[in-house]
PDB file of all heavy atoms in Angstrom:
ATOM      1  N   MET B 260     -72.691 -33.184 -15.961  1.00 91.00           N
ATOM      2  CA  MET B 260     -73.758 -33.421 -16.959  1.00 91.00           C
ATOM      3  C   MET B 260     -73.579 -34.819 -17.618  1.00 91.00           C
ATOM      4  O   MET B 260     -74.592 -35.486 -17.797  1.00 91.00           O
ATOM      5  CB  MET B 260     -73.733 -32.320 -18.061  1.00 91.00           C
ATOM      6  CG  MET B 260     -74.273 -30.980 -17.534  1.00 91.00           C
ATOM      7  SD  MET B 260     -73.911 -29.607 -18.588  1.00 91.00           S
ATOM      8  CE  MET B 260     -75.209 -29.860 -19.847  1.00 91.00           C
ATOM      9  N   ILE B 261     -72.344 -35.158 -17.949  1.00 91.00           N
ATOM     10  CA  ILE B 261     -72.109 -36.470 -18.591  1.00 91.00           C
ATOM     11  C   ILE B 261     -72.591 -37.574 -17.585  1.00 91.00           C
ATOM     12  O   ILE B 261     -73.238 -38.570 -17.997  1.00 91.00           O
ATOM     13  CB  ILE B 261     -70.621 -36.689 -18.875  1.00 91.00           C
ATOM     14  CG1 ILE B 261     -70.135 -35.620 -19.909  1.00 91.00           C
ATOM     15  CG2 ILE B 261     -70.359 -38.096 -19.417  1.00 91.00           C
ATOM     16  CD1 ILE B 261     -70.511 -35.845 -21.309  1.00 91.00           C
ATOM     17  N   ARG B 262     -72.309 -37.340 -16.279  1.00 89.00           N
ATOM     18  CA  ARG B 262     -72.632 -38.371 -15.306  1.00 89.00           C
ATOM     19  C   ARG B 262     -74.221 -38.530 -15.333  1.00 89.00           C
ATOM     20  O   ARG B 262     -74.746 -39.612 -15.318  1.00 89.00           O
ATOM     21  CB  ARG B 262     -72.169 -38.056 -13.966  1.00 89.00           C
ATOM     22  CG  ARG B 262     -72.462 -39.190 -12.950  1.00 89.00           C
ATOM     23  CD  ARG B 262     -72.107 -38.897 -11.586  1.00 89.00           C
ATOM     24  NE  ARG B 262     -70.698 -38.555 -11.472  1.00 89.00           N
ATOM     25  CZ  ARG B 262     -70.154 -37.836 -10.410  1.00 89.00           C
ATOM     26  NH1 ARG B 262     -70.942 -37.374  -9.510  1.00 89.00           N
ATOM     27  NH2 ARG B 262     -68.831 -37.628 -10.391  1.00 89.00           N
ATOM     28  N   LEU B 263     -74.946 -37.380 -15.412  1.00 88.00           N
ATOM     29  CA  LEU B 263     -76.332 -37.432 -15.366  1.00 88.00           C
ATOM     30  C   LEU B 263     -76.897 -38.092 -16.682  1.00 88.00           C
ATOM     31  O   LEU B 263     -78.001 -38.640 -16.656  1.00 88.00           O
ATOM     32  CB  LEU B 263     -76.930 -35.995 -15.293  1.00 88.00           C
ATOM     33  CG  LEU B 263     -76.698 -35.359 -13.938  1.00 88.00           C
ATOM     34  CD1 LEU B 263     -77.216 -33.909 -13.943  1.00 88.00           C
ATOM     35  CD2 LEU B 263     -77.470 -36.121 -12.791  1.00 88.00           C
ATOM     36  N   ARG B 264     -76.073 -38.059 -17.669  1.00 87.00           N
ATOM     37  CA  ARG B 264     -76.490 -38.700 -18.917  1.00 87.00           C
ATOM     38  C   ARG B 264     -76.036 -40.177 -18.967  1.00 87.00           C
ATOM     39  O   ARG B 264     -76.149 -40.803 -19.972  1.00 87.00           O
ATOM     40  CB  ARG B 264     -75.850 -37.954 -20.156  1.00 87.00           C
ATOM     41  CG  ARG B 264     -76.265 -36.529 -20.260  1.00 87.00           C
ATOM     42  CD  ARG B 264     -77.647 -36.397 -21.029  1.00 87.00           C
ATOM     43  NE  ARG B 264     -77.421 -36.374 -22.434  1.00 87.00           N
ATOM     44  CZ  ARG B 264     -78.458 -36.377 -23.306  1.00 87.00           C
ATOM     45  NH1 ARG B 264     -79.732 -36.429 -22.855  1.00 87.00           N
ATOM     46  NH2 ARG B 264     -78.242 -36.358 -24.597  1.00 87.00           N
ATOM     47  N   GLY B 265     -75.466 -40.664 -17.850  1.00 87.00           N
ATOM     48  CA  GLY B 265     -75.219 -42.066 -17.768  1.00 87.00           C
ATOM     49  C   GLY B 265     -73.853 -42.503 -18.171  1.00 87.00           C
ATOM     50  O   GLY B 265     -73.654 -43.730 -18.413  1.00 87.00           O
ATOM     51  N   ALA B 266     -72.873 -41.596 -18.283  1.00 91.00           N
ATOM     52  CA  ALA B 266     -71.492 -42.038 -18.583  1.00 91.00           C
ATOM     53  C   ALA B 266     -70.463 -41.428 -17.622  1.00 91.00           C
ATOM     54  O   ALA B 266     -70.943 -40.614 -16.796  1.00 91.00           O
ATOM     55  CB  ALA B 266     -71.140 -41.609 -20.010  1.00 91.00           C
ATOM     56  N   GLU B 267     -69.285 -41.662 -17.834  1.00 91.00           N
ATOM     57  CA  GLU B 267     -68.239 -41.145 -16.904  1.00 91.00           C
ATOM     58  C   GLU B 267     -67.260 -40.253 -17.686  1.00 91.00           C
ATOM     59  O   GLU B 267     -67.055 -40.439 -18.866  1.00 91.00           O
ATOM     60  CB  GLU B 267     -67.454 -42.323 -16.285  1.00 91.00           C
ATOM     61  CG  GLU B 267     -66.643 -41.769 -15.040  1.00 91.00           C
ATOM     62  CD  GLU B 267     -65.724 -42.796 -14.557  1.00 91.00           C
ATOM     63  OE1 GLU B 267     -65.756 -43.986 -14.938  1.00 91.00           O
ATOM     64  OE2 GLU B 267     -64.847 -42.382 -13.746  1.00 91.00           O
ATOM     65  N   THR B 268     -66.671 -39.317 -16.945  1.00 93.00           N
ATOM     66  CA  THR B 268     -65.735 -38.335 -17.586  1.00 93.00           C
ATOM     67  C   THR B 268     -64.333 -38.538 -16.937  1.00 93.00           C
ATOM     68  O   THR B 268     -64.214 -38.660 -15.730  1.00 93.00           O
ATOM     69  CB  THR B 268     -66.146 -36.912 -17.417  1.00 93.00           C
ATOM     70  OG1 THR B 268     -67.530 -36.813 -17.861  1.00 93.00           O
ATOM     71  CG2 THR B 268     -65.243 -35.987 -18.171  1.00 93.00           C
ATOM     72  N   VAL B 269     -63.302 -38.506 -17.792  1.00 94.00           N
ATOM     73  CA  VAL B 269     -61.883 -38.473 -17.271  1.00 94.00           C
ATOM     74  C   VAL B 269     -61.248 -37.272 -17.882  1.00 94.00           C
ATOM     75  O   VAL B 269     -61.265 -37.148 -19.128  1.00 94.00           O
ATOM     76  CB  VAL B 269     -61.108 -39.748 -17.623  1.00 94.00           C
ATOM     77  CG1 VAL B 269     -59.773 -39.719 -16.981  1.00 94.00           C
ATOM     78  CG2 VAL B 269     -61.905 -41.031 -17.230  1.00 94.00           C
ATOM     79  N   ILE B 270     -60.668 -36.435 -16.994  1.00 94.00           N
ATOM     80  CA  ILE B 270     -59.913 -35.289 -17.574  1.00 94.00           C
ATOM     81  C   ILE B 270     -58.461 -35.730 -17.586  1.00 94.00           C
ATOM     82  O   ILE B 270     -57.945 -36.173 -16.544  1.00 94.00           O
ATOM     83  CB  ILE B 270     -60.093 -34.056 -16.587  1.00 94.00           C
ATOM     84  CG1 ILE B 270     -61.517 -33.854 -16.205  1.00 94.00           C
ATOM     85  CG2 ILE B 270     -59.437 -32.824 -17.261  1.00 94.00           C
ATOM     86  CD1 ILE B 270     -62.326 -33.061 -17.145  1.00 94.00           C
TER      87      ILE B 270
END
Side-chain angles (χ1 to χ4, degrees):
Chain B
M260 286 165 80
I261 299 283
R262 188 186 297 158
L263 291 174
R264 300 277 275 173
E267 196 191 345
T268 307
V269 186
I270 314 276

